[in-house]
Amino acid sequence: MKRLSIRTRWVLFLTAVLLFAFCLTNGVNFKVSKKALEGTLEHSVLPLCRDSFFLELQTELNRPLQAVSQVACDTFVHDWALSGERDKTVMIRYLKALQHESGFVSTFFVSEATGLYYHHTGIVKTLHSEDDQDAWYYTFRSSGQSHKMKVTTREAADGTVRVFVHHRVEDNQGRLLGVAGVGMTLADISRRLSAYETQYGVNILLVSPEGRVQADSGTGQMTRTNIRNLPGLLTVADLFLGQTRVRPVYAYETGGARFLLTVRHIPELDCYLLVIKNEPPELTDIRWNYYRSLAFALIMICCIIGICVLAVNFFQRQIDQMAIVDALTGAGNRRAFNQAFMMATYRFNRNDTPFCLLILNVDHFKEINDSFGHRQGDRVLLGVADICRRSIREHDSLARWSGDEFIVLVEGGIRSAEAVAHRIRAQVGERNYSMETSEGLSVRVSCGIAAYQAGFSMDDVIARADAALSHAKAAGRNTVRVAPGEPNR
């Protein structure tokens, strides 16, 4: 490739320097302003809102844990279980009283000895290890944990989010008597979300490790929404979901707006508290001013580079065209034919695709030049080249081989090459090449054909086609001959 001129290289160099300096200056100014504004959000507004709501949530969650701990330590429960659960109504009344005093939506006790599920409304069922709905009990029993808190919609047909706290009940020897539990809703917490959102101008969500929204402002209901499917949030969800240590702030864009997100993991519920804040308008203005300035500089510089590239490409195409195209006839030259032959050989070796070479010579071309002049001779060559182009297929190749000779690479066997040769010969004879000074001019061509065979070089095939051409001339010209011994296919 031709090297760029010194002037062009200097223009490109200066353009790059100016662009770098402009982007660096504006980028530093933008980063400083952006960092100051985001620092206010990161270290004051978002953390204050997140931590305040987190403390509210912790206080609310301590209530069921304290209540179920008291049940687990209650000697009345121990004595009743150890006595063989003779009066089952006693436990039901106990659970009902607990539910009435605490305001929980559900209180229950599962006996290890009998498998009965006592509820404040009565005996619900007998647990079985084969029942998938009872798997929670056996999983918790074998975990060895003293208590566990879980967010679920179990027992809530309306989709209300409930927090269930399970606690092991053991006797003095550490033997398992059963599992006590209470259930509460997050409705109160969810209603507080709206107040916080209004006060701080943020959006607050409770999200499970799988990304499902468990509560939003004012509903307290489990939704089918997954933040991995929400525009913008899906780009950052995998950065904190399933993680216990998360970054202070995440940023994402959706709908042309930019948002900041702070996250805190709530281990008791195994969920995440998300506080989302739209970026300040001041930051948006700074960003757009930076983008406008940068866009203007890029447009101007791209115009300069574009003009240079277009000019270089134009002249490079001219050079490339001159390197492979015959200037007079527009057919390929020997260099172009060498490339076509190499590709045809590759297809032959890979796919067994046959091809033939067809050499055609304008009969008595020297006499045409001597009698009618070189201008008329050039007109004849142009006409022959045009007929050849029209007579071959798209995947065949045409090149001017010498002064009055053309060579055609025909994909296919001898029969295909013969058909092309006869078509060219007939059309050359029918064409009118006459000028005012060359009336009665008659042009004929002779053709020689040879097929490529494994192990042949280009010179081998050309030599056989050239020998066939000599036979055509010896036979009186204006005819087509095939090299002896060629396969008839």
Side-chain angles (χ1 to χ4, degrees):
M1 180 178 177
K2 184 179 179 180
R3 296 182 61 185
L4 297 175
S5 65
I6 295 178
R7 177 182 298 179
T8 303
R9 281 181 283 167
W10 269 107
V11 167
L12 295 177
F13 174 75
L14 292 176
T15 301
V17 170
L18 290 174
L19 178 61
F20 175 77
F22 183 85
C23 292
L24 180 63
T25 303
N26 284 272
V28 169
N29 291 335
F30 172 74
K31 287 292 184 181
V32 171
S33 302
K34 178 175 178 289
K35 186 175 181 180
L37 288 173
E38 289 185 344
T40 303
L41 288 175
E42 292 180 21
H43 299 102
S44 60
V45 178
L46 291 179
L48 177 61
C49 178
R50 179 197 64 197
D51 295 339
S52 298
F53 185 76
F54 178 77
L55 291 176
E56 290 265 1
L57 189 59
Q58 289 281 46
T59 301
E60 190 71 14
L61 294 178
N62 280 334
R63 289 180 55 242
L65 182 58
Q66 291 175 355
V68 78
S69 296
Q70 292 176 359
V71 174
C73 298
D74 196 332
T75 56
F76 167 77
V77 176
H78 293 186
D79 294 341
W80 174 83
L82 291 172
S83 68
E85 307 173 23
R86 287 194 297 269
D87 189 353
K88 295 178 173 53
T89 60
V90 172
M91 176 54 67
I92 296 173
R93 289 196 300 271
Y94 176 85
L95 294 174
K96 188 173 184 178
L98 175 62
Q99 187 269 338
H100 179 73
E101 294 174 2
S102 62
F104 298 130
V105 297
S106 177
T107 56
F108 58 91
F109 175 83
V110 178
S111 171
E112 173 68 12
T114 63
L116 292 177
Y117 187 114
Y118 293 90
H119 193 264
H120 69 269
T121 59
I123 298 176
V124 176
K125 62 185 298 187
T126 300
L127 271 63
H128 297 282
S129 59
E130 297 82 8
D131 192 340
D132 291 340
Q133 293 184 350
D134 302 335
W136 67 269
Y137 174 78
Y138 298 100
T139 301
F140 174 67
R141 185 183 66 177
S142 60
S143 68
Q145 295 176 290
S146 62
H147 65 276
K148 182 178 181 181
M149 186 176 295
K150 182 180 180 182
V151 178
T152 182
T153 56
R154 184 168 60 87
E155 297 184 354
D158 60 352
T160 301
V161 179
R162 293 186 177 183
V163 177
F164 284 92
V165 181
H166 307 145
H167 203 294
R168 297 173 67 91
V169 179
E170 299 177 344
D171 62 12
N172 295 333
Q173 284 74 39
R175 292 175 299 183
L176 181 66
L177 301 178
V179 174
V182 298
M184 62 173 289
T185 68
L186 287 182
D188 291 339
I189 294 297
S190 298
R191 282 192 290 271
R192 291 192 181 99
L193 285 176
S194 181
Y196 275 90
E197 289 179 346
T198 302
Q199 180 180 354
Y200 292 99
V202 297
N203 294 323
I204 303 176
L205 300 173
L206 289 179
V207 178
S208 70
E210 296 77 25
R212 186 171 56 179
V213 177
Q214 295 184 321
D216 55 13
S217 60
T219 63
Q221 292 187 341
M222 186 84 75
T223 70
R224 296 181 180 274
T225 304
N226 193 301
I227 64 172
R228 286 191 172 98
N229 300 325
L230 295 178
L233 276 174
L234 62 87
T235 61
V236 297
D238 289 332
L239 299 179
F240 60 84
L241 290 178
Q243 307 293 325
T244 56
R245 297 177 61 88
V246 296
R247 283 163 36 189
V249 174
Y250 301 88
Y252 65 90
E253 295 185 4
T254 179
R258 190 168 184 270
F259 294 84
L260 297 176
L261 166 68
T262 183
V263 181
R264 181 159 183 171
H265 182 246
I266 305 175
E268 294 84 355
L269 300 180
D270 191 22
C271 68
Y272 297 88
L273 173 65
L274 274 61
V275 180
I276 305 169
K277 172 73 175 177
N278 196 350
E279 71 174 11
E282 297 83 2
L283 185 58
T284 303
D285 294 339
I286 293 174
R287 179 178 288 104
W288 278 112
N289 287 333
Y290 171 72
Y291 288 159
R292 281 191 290 267
S293 300
L294 184 60
F296 178 77
L298 287 175
I299 291 173
M300 297 303 297
I301 293 174
C302 286
C303 288
I304 297 173
I305 296 176
I307 293 172
C308 294
V309 170
L310 288 175
V312 170
N313 288 344
F314 173 78
F315 290 109
Q316 185 63 48
R317 283 194 297 269
Q318 296 296 316
I319 294 173
D320 292 341
Q321 191 75 0
M322 292 171 61
I324 62 173
V325 175
D326 178 63
L328 174 62
T329 63
N333 58 17
R334 291 200 174 201
R335 181 180 180 184
F337 182 79
N338 289 342
Q339 296 175 356
F341 186 88
M342 290 176 61
M343 290 301 299
T345 305
Y346 172 79
R347 290 193 295 271
F348 179 90
N349 293 330
R350 183 179 179 86
N351 304 321
D352 196 25
T353 304
F355 68 94
C356 300
L357 298 188
L358 185 160
I359 299 180
L360 60 92
N361 178 266
V362 180
D363 293 337
H364 305 296
F365 182 71
K366 184 177 184 303
E367 286 78 359
I368 294 175
N369 272 338
D370 294 341
S371 302
F372 301 101
H374 289 281
R375 184 181 176 190
Q376 179 61 54
D378 291 344
R379 185 181 179 90
V380 169
L381 293 177
L382 282 169
V384 173
D386 180 63
I387 291 172
C388 290
R389 270 191 297 268
R390 294 173 181 270
S391 300
I392 63 178
R393 296 160 297 184
E394 183 179 356
H395 48 269
D396 298 333
S397 301
L398 169 69
R400 186 181 179 189
W401 197 243
S402 63
D404 59 349
E405 281 187 351
F406 292 88
I407 188 167
V408 181
L409 190 152
V410 180
E411 190 171 290
I414 291 295
R415 291 182 179 177
S416 298
E418 284 187 294
V420 172
H422 284 296
R423 187 160 56 245
I424 294 173
R425 186 187 62 80
Q427 293 182 17
V428 168
E430 295 171 357
R431 188 175 182 125
N432 182 11
Y433 304 89
S434 299
M435 300 173 60
E436 294 179 358
T437 59
S438 57
E439 294 182 2
L441 175 62
S442 178
V443 179
R444 300 288 184 269
V445 293
S446 300
C447 304
I449 302 173
Y452 176 81
Q453 298 179 32
F456 277 16
S457 66
M458 186 176 72
D459 291 338
D460 295 335
V461 186
I462 291 176
R464 290 176 58 79
D466 201 43
L469 175 62
S470 298
H471 294 159
K473 290 181 179 181
R477 302 179 186 273
N478 190 29
T479 187
V480 177
R481 288 290 184 270
V482 178
E486 294 294 348
N488 186 21
R489 60 170 183 159

